[in-house]
Structures are given as C-alpha cells and as structure tokens.
Amino acid sequence: MAKLPFKSLLCLMQKRFLTTSPTLYISSLSSSSSTLLSPSYTAQFLVKSCGLPLDSAISISQKLNLDENKPQKHASVLELLKSHGFSNTHIVKLVSRYPLILQSQVDKLKLKVEYLHDNGLVGPVLHELIVSNPNILRRSLDKHIKPSLDFLKEFLETNEKIVTAIKRGSWMLYATERARSLDIKPTDSTYVTAIPVILSMTESTWKRKVELYKKFGLTEVEIFKAIKRQPYFMACSEEKIKSLMNFYTYTMKLKPSAIATYPRLLLYSFDARIQPRFNVLNILASKKLLKTHKKIAWLLTQSEAKFLTNYVNKYLDQVPDLMELYRGVKTIDL
C-alpha cells in the first residue's frame, strides 16, 4: 500500500487537531466528581512527591483533590512512570499538564504505557509522546490507542514520525474511530483517502453534511455506504452538496438510492459535465431515442469518450444539433 506523504498528513492534522493545551486538562478538573478532601494534602503531595513548585501546586490543588487515605495509589502512578525511565523533569511537566493522571487506575495505565513500549515507543520517544500529549492516556486502549497506532504504523516509517503525528494531531484517534464506524478497514483501498477527508473537517461540519444529505432523502445507512464507496462524497462543500442534490433530486428526478449508489455524482462539475449530459439525454428521451432500461445516474458516470460515442456521435443524423447542444453552443427547446 502506498505511503501517505508525511508532510501532507501533518498539514491536515495541524488544521483541526492541534495538541490540546495544558489549560484544557486543568480546567476539566473543576467538573471532577472526586470527594472533596483537604487541598493541603494535595498540594503537599504535588510538591514533595512530584516536584512541582509551591505556587503551581497550590493552584492545581484548588481543583484537584487527592484522597489522603490512599497515598499509595498516587505514589504507584509515579513509580510506574519512573520504571519506564521518566525523569523528575518529565514528571513535573506531565503532572502540570495532566494532574488527573494521579487519579488513574494504575492497572489500566500500566497496560497503555506497556502497549506503547512493546510497540517500539521506548525511551525518549515514549517520554516525548506522553509528556507532550498526555491526552493519549485518557483514551481507551482497545477502541482508540491500538487502532490509531496501527494506522500510523501503516503509513509512517519511523517511531519518531509517529510521535510527531500524535503530537500535532491527537484527534487522529477520532479519525480512526470514525473510519471504523463506517466499516472502512485499513486494508480497504479507500482507507488512505477516508482518513484525510475525516481529518479535514470538524465533527460539527461532518454532522451538518450528514443532515444535509438526509434532507434530500438519503438514509444514514445510504450515506455511510456512499462514503465507503467514495470518501470524497463528504469532502464537497455544503454549498456544492445543496446545489447538486437540488438538481439531481428535483430536476433530474433521481432517487436518493441512485445517488448513494453512484457517490461520484457529487464530485463532478455541474457546468462541464452534468448540465451538458443532462441536455443530451433529455433531448434523446424526448425523441424516443434513449433506451428506457438505461440508468440515467449510471450514464452520468461514463467516461467522456464513451458518452460521446454512444450518446452524441451515434445520434447526429437524427439530431444534427446534438454536438452543439452538448458543447453548450446552443440550446434546443423541447
């Protein structure tokens, strides 16, 4: 399978999925459901065990409350990190960016760290990955981390590039999950196209486009099948989707199922392809020259050479102006 250009992949991820800022982790602590306990213990632990400056520890302890009755739980998190070579400096940065790591279930945290380690992300590479993007530790191992790493290993040749990709685009995890929900597998020919398409838009934009297609009668199942056949079905602008779907649905009277079967219809130029072919097929149908069993949607997907041979040149004797009509030189009133 061809490698996806590394710079292109990073460019897509940088647009929408930059590494989450440290303030996100800290602000999320305010919604923690942890039992309210003495912040002084938390501050002391952050200073004595984690090495944070006192002012930072006090600030974090106002939103993070460690259970002083379970000091070993918090200490075991630090022991796990140190067993994998994390230095005191690493721990200070990591805890400052993601204080909730101290409340992690150590057994689950261990599985995640060891999985990354066993897949070649060791030493400085592992440290850089987790410290720069601790959000990865919040993700499900089976649903997010494993499929994401499998994807990155498929297209990026080195562990250093994998770390860079995750640092620049932590929502790569989201993209792989979305592809899986569409039943697009890494072995599918469309997988390499689907991931950049998903990464090119926010989740809200994705949902708006799905709803837009639904307004024209496509079911969610039909939309997802169309995406699997042709991922660029979702890359069209909302304006183009609305314009072409209006024409196909209300002017050409195509059924939604036909559009889902031929998702390439959304990729064509209206002026250069759709309108000229519609004009030709319309005049042929009016003169009873078009075979009724032919699927109009399928005819729109034929190559230029085939369409000219079978539906323009073939009928020039019966319709002398057909070529001019096709080229847009003139119009014919039916």
Side-chain angles (χ1 to χ4, degrees):
M1 184 180 292
K3 301 290 184 183
L4 189 64
F6 182 58
K7 291 184 178 179
S8 299
L9 181 62
L10 290 187
C11 181
L12 283 168
M13 290 189 285
Q14 282 179 295
K15 290 180 179 179
R16 290 295 181 188
F17 310 114
L18 293 178
T19 303
T20 310
S21 66
T23 56
L24 175 60
Y25 301 111
I26 296 176
S27 63
S28 68
L29 297 174
S30 59
S31 61
S32 173
S33 59
S34 302
T35 305
L36 183 61
L37 297 169
S38 171
S40 59
Y41 164 76
T42 300
Q44 290 174 20
F45 185 88
L46 291 172
V47 172
K48 294 180 180 180
S49 299
C50 303
L52 269 70
L54 181 59
D55 56 345
S56 298
I58 292 174
S59 176
I60 293 174
S61 68
Q62 292 175 355
K63 298 175 181 178
L64 172 71
N65 293 289
L66 301 178
D67 189 342
E68 58 186 320
N69 295 315
K70 299 179 180 179
Q72 185 54 41
K73 175 182 179 181
H74 317 131
S76 61
V77 171
L78 300 180
E79 291 171 5
L80 173 63
L81 294 173
K82 289 179 180 179
S83 71
H84 284 278
F86 285 80
S87 66
N88 292 334
T89 301
H90 290 142
I91 291 174
V92 169
K93 291 180 179 179
L94 178 56
V95 173
S96 297
R97 293 173 177 175
Y98 180 36
L100 284 175
I101 191 175
L102 297 172
Q103 295 181 323
S104 301
Q105 296 183 37
V106 180
D107 55 342
K108 291 185 177 181
L109 182 64
K110 183 179 180 181
L111 289 175
K112 295 175 183 178
V113 175
E114 289 185 348
Y115 177 79
L116 295 172
H117 181 277
D118 292 344
N119 278 272
L121 300 174
V122 298
V125 175
L126 178 67
H127 305 152
E128 183 183 6
L129 170 63
I130 292 179
V131 171
S132 63
N133 187 24
N135 189 48
I136 193 173
L137 298 178
R138 304 175 68 182
R139 299 284 185 170
S140 165
L141 177 60
D142 294 322
K143 293 181 180 179
H144 298 278
I145 297 175
K146 286 183 179 180
S148 297
L149 191 59
D150 288 343
F151 167 76
L152 293 174
K153 288 168 68 176
E154 182 76 24
F155 298 107
L156 304 179
E157 297 88 351
T158 66
N159 287 331
E160 288 74 16
K161 286 186 177 182
I162 290 175
V163 171
T164 302
I166 296 177
K167 283 172 60 181
R168 300 281 180 87
S170 60
W171 275 44
M172 174 64 76
L173 304 170
Y174 155 80
T176 54
E177 182 183 15
R178 172 75 73 187
R180 286 173 61 240
S181 72
L182 296 169
D183 195 32
I184 301 176
K185 303 177 179 64
T187 53
D188 293 341
S189 60
T190 55
Y191 191 83
V192 69
T193 304
I195 292 297
V197 168
I198 295 170
L199 287 173
S200 70
M201 69 191 80
T202 63
E203 187 171 6
S204 61
T205 300
W206 180 278
K207 289 181 178 178
R208 282 201 312 273
K209 290 182 178 181
V210 169
E211 291 303 315
L212 186 55
Y213 280 122
K214 285 182 178 180
K215 288 181 180 179
F216 288 97
L218 275 75
T219 66
E220 192 165 282
V221 172
E222 288 174 332
I223 294 169
F224 289 170
K225 284 184 177 179
I227 298 170
K228 185 175 182 178
R229 289 190 182 106
Q230 175 50 261
Y232 284 122
F233 185 72
M234 287 296 283
C236 303
S237 69
E238 292 173 65
E239 181 180 356
K240 183 175 183 179
I241 292 173
K242 189 179 298 183
S243 176
L244 284 177
M245 288 300 295
N246 261 315
F247 187 79
Y248 291 141
T249 304
Y250 301 116
T251 302
M252 295 192 68
K253 309 297 183 183
L254 294 182
K255 294 181 179 180
S257 59
I259 298 171
T261 301
Y262 301 102
R264 285 179 293 168
L265 292 175
L266 271 293
L267 309 185
Y268 299 139
S269 165
F270 177 78
D271 293 329
R273 187 185 188 106
I274 302 304
Q275 182 70 71
R277 293 196 180 194
F278 173 71
N279 291 341
V280 168
L281 296 174
N282 210 13
I283 193 68
L284 293 180
S286 71
K287 296 182 178 295
K288 312 295 184 183
L289 296 174
L290 189 64
K291 295 180 180 179
T292 56
H293 70 277
K294 293 291 185 180
K295 294 181 178 179
I296 299 300
W298 176 77
L299 295 178
L300 295 177
T301 68
Q302 296 300 289
S303 69
E304 177 74 1
K306 285 185 177 180
F307 190 85
L308 275 172
T309 299
N310 297 324
Y311 299 99
V312 179
N313 295 333
K314 181 178 179 179
Y315 297 104
L316 288 179
D317 289 339
Q318 294 97 319
V319 188
D321 296 327
L322 196 57
M323 183 62 76
E324 287 76 7
L325 178 67
Y326 182 65
R327 299 301 185 194
V329 175
K330 64 179 298 183
T331 60
I332 297 179
D333 296 326
L334 300 179

